[in-house]
Amino acid sequence: MAEKSLVGDLIADKFKRRRRLANTVSPLPSETRIITVSNQKGGVGKTTTTVNLSAALARRGANVLVIDLDPQGNASTALGVNHRPEVTSVYDVLLGDAELSDALQISSDHENLACIPSTIHLAGAEIELVSLVAREQRLRTAVDTFLKESDRKYHYVFIDCPPSLGLLTVNAFVAAQEVLIPIQCEYYALEGLSQLLGNIQLIQKHLNPTLRVSTILLTMFDARTNLAHEVAREVRDHFPGEVLRAVIPRSVRISEAPSYGQTVHEYDGGSIGAIAYLEAAAEIAERWAKLESLESAEAHSGDAVIQSEGA
């Protein structure tokens, strides 16, 4: 009887959360947000977060571009785009042999979602980039040019990084304005995080002063274990302003979706994992809208003070 009640509570909670999402509209940013999804620790849900968050934002009305900068090409696979070796990819863009627009493909997941694929050639790009001029700035130049010339206004650009700090990741940090860090709710969650934050500070100091850690997303959360709750509490204590309220649960549906070359939204849009990513996307959009509103109010307040002093 208690088990039936628990299942009933879970179903009721799922319907309540879906209804809440259906009744809210996510605000779109006034300028393109360029977000690098990074964590030097592997297996934390980095690529999974990139594709499912992007797909969630696309379903909530945003135009989203995903740049797959991981030579494994998992984001390209999940978004259903062709990334065979002969395809024009981000590798050609970094080496200056193609424009970003030449490599762009619309994802089979959603019409609002586009992808710059990665191919196997990207594995050797780190070595080839070493001798090139402006080797750390090449992705930034390509993205800036593309956004200026594109007929379509993109609200979000997500860059999926490899789990290491090489020239590919440095290019992603230089091209982006924000860093989103997925953190797995398990024992080694904070391992390597201080090194990642140190590397971001170096990029801020030498290459991209506007880069900041804007978002931390807790992933693979298992509510049945005390450890997951302890890790979540510890991360929230350290980063109270950055951690999202939305948490991504450990989910069979999320794990199964890539094997079908799909996002979790396409594979099982009603699953608890899909709902969690939609909630995270809505929260990211709402937090940014509040920040823009606050900055606008401060700017108007400053103008009023100047006019008052000039009168």
Side-chain angles (χ1 to χ4, degrees):
M1 189 67 182
E3 190 176 336
K4 282 186 180 176
S5 174
L6 179 61
V7 172
D9 289 348
L10 289 173
I11 293 172
D13 177 64
K14 198 159 91 169
F15 276 103
K16 187 177 169 186
R17 290 165 67 184
R18 289 179 68 180
R19 194 162 53 242
R20 191 186 305 131
L21 283 164
N23 291 333
T24 57
V25 176
S26 291
L28 299 174
S30 56
E31 302 290 336
T32 306
R33 295 177 65 182
I34 306 175
I35 303 172
T36 288
V37 182
S38 182
N39 190 329
Q40 286 167 241
K41 185 175 183 306
V44 299
K46 187 169 48 59
T47 299
T48 302
T49 291
T50 303
V51 297
N52 289 318
L53 205 51
S54 302
L57 285 162
R59 280 166 172 75
R60 295 190 69 77
N63 289 325
V64 186
L65 173 65
V66 173
I67 299 176
D68 187 356
L69 210 56
D70 188 338
Q72 296 181 77
N74 292 338
S76 306
T77 302
L79 293 176
V81 298
N82 183 359
H83 63 110
R84 289 196 293 267
E86 65 273 18
V87 167
T88 303
S89 70
V90 71
Y91 166 80
D92 302 291
V93 175
L94 287 172
L95 265 65
D97 295 333
E99 300 293 329
L100 213 60
S101 54
D102 299 329
L104 186 139
Q105 297 182 45
I106 300 298
S107 167
S108 60
D109 181 83
H110 197 280
E111 60 185 4
N112 287 358
L113 185 54
C115 178
I116 306 296
S118 160
T119 63
I120 191 66
H121 299 306
L122 193 61
E126 300 253 5
I127 296 170
E128 294 180 70
L129 281 169
V130 168
S131 60
L132 298 183
V133 175
R135 59 192 177 191
E136 301 95 348
Q137 316 276 349
R138 299 183 81 84
L139 184 62
R140 180 179 191 160
T141 304
V143 171
D144 287 349
T145 303
F146 171 75
L147 291 176
K148 275 181 197 164
E149 295 178 352
S150 175
D151 294 333
R152 189 174 207 175
K153 178 180 172 61
Y154 283 90
H155 302 101
Y156 296 91
V157 175
F158 281 90
I159 307 172
D160 186 35
C161 291
S164 60
L165 184 70
L167 269 175
L168 293 176
T169 302
V170 170
N171 263 275
F173 282 155
V174 173
Q177 304 144 350
E178 305 175 46
V179 182
L180 186 157
I181 306 176
I183 293 183
Q184 184 183 5
C185 291
E186 293 198 352
Y187 185 67
Y188 294 115
L190 299 179
E191 187 183 67
L193 190 57
S194 59
Q195 188 187 356
L196 173 62
L197 296 175
N199 290 334
I200 291 171
Q201 285 176 349
L202 282 174
I203 298 289
Q204 288 170 327
K205 186 176 178 183
H206 297 288
L207 293 166
N208 183 3
T210 61
L211 184 69
R212 68 188 183 90
V213 177
S214 65
T215 309
I216 293 177
L217 179 62
L218 298 171
T219 62
M220 303 183 197
F221 182 81
D222 187 343
R224 298 168 300 178
T225 67
N226 290 331
L227 177 62
H229 289 281
E230 285 172 17
V231 169
R233 188 163 49 247
E234 190 174 349
V235 175
R236 289 187 191 284
D237 287 345
H238 277 86
F239 305 96
E242 289 80 10
V243 183
L244 295 180
R245 292 190 306 278
V247 170
I248 308 304
R250 188 173 284 284
S251 159
V252 174
R253 292 303 195 207
I254 292 175
S255 303
E256 287 176 345
S259 62
Y260 291 88
Q262 295 177 337
T263 68
V264 70
H265 307 285
E266 190 177 11
Y267 180 63
D268 187 353
S271 66
I272 202 72
I275 292 171
Y277 271 112
L278 284 166
E279 288 174 335
E283 191 177 345
I284 286 171
E286 286 161 12
R287 283 169 52 151
W288 186 259
K290 283 181 187 171
L291 185 64
E292 282 193 327
S293 174
L294 186 63
E295 287 176 353
S296 174
E298 286 177 354
H300 281 103
S301 173
D303 290 344
V305 169
I306 292 170
Q307 285 175 5
S308 170
E309 288 175 352

